[in-house]
Amino acid sequence: MSADLSRVDQWLMNMMHGDLALSTAVSGRVYGDMAPQGSTMPLVLFSYLGGADKVVTFRTRVTNAIYLIRAVSGGSSYNAIEAIADRIDEVLSALPDQGTIVRDIRISSCIREQPHQRKDMENGVPTVYLGGFYRIKYQPLAVV
Amino acid sequence: MPANSATITTRLVVRRNNVPQLIKFIQEQTRTAVDETAFDIQTDAAQMAPRDTGSLAASIYINNGDESDYTQRVAVAESLNRDVVILERIDPEFVISLSGGPDASYGSVVGVAAAHGIFQELGTRFQPPQPFMIGAAEVARDDFEARMSRVASI
């Protein structure tokens, strides 16, 4: 099993899409990697940025994955997406102590390591981003 | 003093104080570990960077405060892409440190001089990320921890 990141993507999508407050705030617009062209804002984006495996025994490993998870909106004020970014953190911090199982992996922790705040300009039109870099640790349930 | 007690006196004579040499040794070892890790990150990031003209990968530089390949890297990046926008060099003293100020720490910056690097690294709303810096740093993490665990080994 090597496509384990797709399980993490699925968990993130289910957690954020399934949260009524968050999903309502962005009208269900939660996307992996990028939004479809012409999407209405605000929206939520999550992207895998990097990671590494740690070999625990010769049969098991733990993976550290860094995800950038952020709310996005047009305009130059962060106020419009402040509540959305807060809700993202609340939803992802609600992981139980024993972790959660997604198909054949156990996600054991999801912790924000660094805040993210950014403003881009495209053709003179500003876009604001607010969220954080999250470290997600998980391991396969079965031996690898 | 009770009848069944005794007094023990210990006398400690320092004949040779090697602590300054030890501190210097650990600082040198630390510096080597940081420099080697910075080089590893630079190399991996350059390999992982998305390529069109190659200027992005070529613009990844190291600056440890004493030495930097920023000028050479920028020259190569500009030779590969005349339109590349170059950012100013980042110096280690401007990097936020939680370890107690410039006298107590040694740091090295691995930076990207090409201004469009951030859009490749993090993506935008309509463009997926093609990360190369965070991935390279994550891969180097374990090696760095192993190197640092040996800095006091004589």
Side-chain angles (χ1 to χ4, degrees), chain B:
Chain B
M1 182 184 296
N4 59 349
S5 67
T7 302
I8 298 174
T9 304
T10 303
R11 187 158 165 261
L12 183 66
V13 178
V14 178
R15 297 188 186 278
R16 193 169 163 186
N17 180 8
N18 287 331
V19 172
Q21 290 98 311
L22 183 62
I23 290 172
K24 189 178 176 200
F25 175 78
I26 291 174
Q27 286 174 334
E28 286 170 357
Q29 294 285 96
T30 302
R31 192 180 170 99
T32 301
V34 171
D35 286 344
E36 287 176 352
T37 304
F39 182 74
D40 287 349
I41 293 173
Q42 181 190 40
T43 304
D44 285 350
Q47 290 172 353
M48 294 164 71
R51 282 172 193 276
D52 183 9
T53 63
S55 64
L56 176 62
S59 78
I60 301 169
Y61 65 92
I62 294 175
N63 181 14
N64 67 12
D66 296 329
E67 296 176 310
S68 175
D69 59 355
Y70 173 86
T71 306
Q72 299 94 303
R73 293 278 170 179
V74 166
V76 174
E78 288 178 327
S79 73
L80 292 168
N81 177 8
R82 289 174 134 199
D83 297 325
V84 67
V85 176
I86 297 296
L87 300 172
E88 285 184 24
R89 189 181 69 181
I90 299 171
D91 293 319
E93 59 262 38
F94 295 116
V95 177
I96 295 171
S97 170
L98 302 178
S99 55
D103 294 337
S105 64
Y106 173 73
S108 185
V109 169
V110 183
V112 182
H116 62 287
I118 188 71
F119 301 109
Q120 298 292 352
E121 180 73 22
L122 302 182
T124 68
R125 66 201 153 129
F126 297 136
Q127 172 190 314
Q130 293 180 282
F132 55 102
M133 292 296 286
I134 291 175
E138 280 298 308
V139 169
R141 178 186 293 267
D142 285 349
D143 283 344
F144 179 62
E145 288 175 358
R147 284 174 178 138
M148 288 302 292
S149 70
R150 293 192 296 265
V151 294
S153 302
I154 299 174

Side-chain angles (χ1 to χ4, degrees), chain A residues 56-128:
Chain A
V56 181
T57 70
F58 78 104
R59 284 175 180 270
T60 59
R61 64 177 181 236
V62 174
T63 302
N64 264 297
I66 302 287
Y67 273 78
L68 174 59
I69 305 169
R70 52 188 177 169
V72 187
S73 183
S76 57
S77 170
Y78 294 104
N79 293 342
I81 48 174
E82 188 182 78
I84 300 171
D86 285 348
R87 188 62 193 161
I88 290 171
D89 198 49
E90 288 166 9
V91 168
L92 298 182
S93 301
L95 194 66
D97 289 346
Q98 71 274 21
T100 188
I101 293 171
V102 183
R103 286 148 67 187
D104 47 6
I105 65 167
R106 180 189 297 279
I107 296 174
S108 54
S109 68
C110 175
I111 296 167
R112 198 188 83 172
E113 285 201 339
Q114 194 180 324
H116 172 74
Q117 179 174 297
R118 183 169 174 78
K119 189 178 292 181
D120 286 341
M121 297 282 273
E122 187 180 338
N123 300 322
V125 180
T127 303
V128 286

Side-chain angles (χ1 to χ4, degrees), chain A residues 5-6 8-14 16-17 26 28-37 39 43-49 67-70 72, chain B residues 122-130:
Chain A
L5 283 169
S6 62
V8 180
D9 288 354
Q10 180 191 337
W11 176 71
L12 287 170
M13 180 62 86
N14 288 345
M16 293 191 284
H17 213 272
V26 295
R29 291 184 294 271
V30 180
Y31 303 110
D33 287 335
M34 64 181 193
Q37 288 290 327
S39 293
L43 51 87
V44 172
L45 279 180
F46 64 90
S47 311
Y48 168 73
L49 293 187
Y67 273 78
L68 174 59
I69 305 169
R70 52 188 177 169
V72 187
Chain B
L122 302 182
T124 68
R125 66 201 153 129
F126 297 136
Q127 172 190 314
Q130 293 180 282

